[in-house]
Amino acid sequence: MRALEIISSVWFMELLLLGILVICCYTDLKERKILNIIVLPAMVMALLLQFIQRGGPGVLSWVWGALAGMALLFIPFALGGIGAGDVKLLGVVGSFKGAAFAFKVFLAAAIIGGIISFALLLKEKRLRESLANIGTALKVFLLSCFRIFNLNKLEQENVVAIPYGIAIALGAIVCLVGDWLC
């Protein structure tokens, strides 16, 4: 009975999510990948825990959270801006904590990712070049009557990529701490 009480507690889910985020940060930094062997079992665990804790409404929360998390990053993925692992990681966050939490993490990760990108571009002395690329991309977008093109052609050999899983994990941690404090 004691084990069931622990498993059905909210803090257990949050600690489990934090552990998954730490593992994904490690693999994203070391291998530049967020591994399916981590995120797929994490989603199954979230489904089981949601069902144990809340029954049918928990399963619905899992579905909507996972879908919302993945949908939020689908367009950046389709445009070649982020990897599929990042999409699945935000889906994991949503499957554990729900769609509204996934949206908060999405916003926090965007801010954190922007700060990381800015710092890396400053360090590599590539900020001016990157801003010129953004300007070119915006001009193409506006002149094409708002049609979306895959802009992968813009100086691909010199791209400064960031492990966006780090931004997602830090965003999730910021949002968890915010929930704990409020």
Side-chain angles (χ1 to χ4, degrees):
M1 187 64 172
R2 178 87 171 117
L4 187 58
E5 289 173 7
I6 291 172
I7 289 173
S8 64
S9 66
V10 173
W11 65 264
F12 178 79
M13 279 186 75
E14 292 175 350
L15 286 176
L16 187 59
L17 177 60
L18 282 173
I20 291 162
L21 292 169
V22 167
I23 292 167
C24 289
C25 281
Y26 176 78
T27 61
D28 202 14
L29 281 173
K30 186 169 169 83
E31 302 174 28
R32 298 302 298 230
K33 290 184 176 196
I34 295 172
L35 304 174
N36 285 338
I37 197 163
I38 305 298
V39 293
L40 298 179
M43 290 190 96
V44 172
M45 281 190 287
L47 174 61
L48 292 172
L49 289 171
Q50 289 279 17
F51 179 74
I52 289 170
Q53 287 183 4
R54 299 178 23 214
V59 172
L60 282 176
S61 175
W62 178 87
V63 169
W64 289 117
L67 288 175
M70 291 187 285
L72 287 166
L73 290 179
F74 180 75
I75 291 175
F77 168 72
L79 293 174
I82 62 169
D86 301 319
V87 175
K88 290 179 271 189
L89 183 59
L90 192 55
V92 166
V93 170
S95 69
F96 271 88
K97 295 289 290 173
F101 188 83
F103 184 69
K104 288 193 289 188
V105 171
F106 169 76
L107 295 176
I111 293 167
I112 292 167
I115 292 167
I116 293 170
S117 296
F118 185 80
L120 281 174
L121 289 170
L122 276 178
K123 179 183 172 220
E124 306 251 339
K125 296 180 173 65
R126 305 262 315 281
L127 185 60
R128 181 179 304 219
E129 176 186 344
S130 294
L131 291 174
N133 278 344
I134 291 169
T136 301
L138 282 173
K139 187 175 6 175
V140 167
F141 179 66
L142 293 173
L143 293 176
S144 67
C145 298
F146 302 100
R147 281 184 246 142
I148 296 175
F149 293 98
N150 188 335
L151 299 171
N152 282 338
K153 312 289 186 279
L154 292 175
E155 306 215 16
Q156 275 298 315
E157 65 275 359
N158 294 328
V159 168
V160 176
I162 68 164
Y164 200 68
I166 304 297
I168 293 170
L170 290 174
I173 291 167
V174 165
C175 291
L176 280 171
V177 170
D179 283 353
W180 294 335
L181 294 176
C182 294

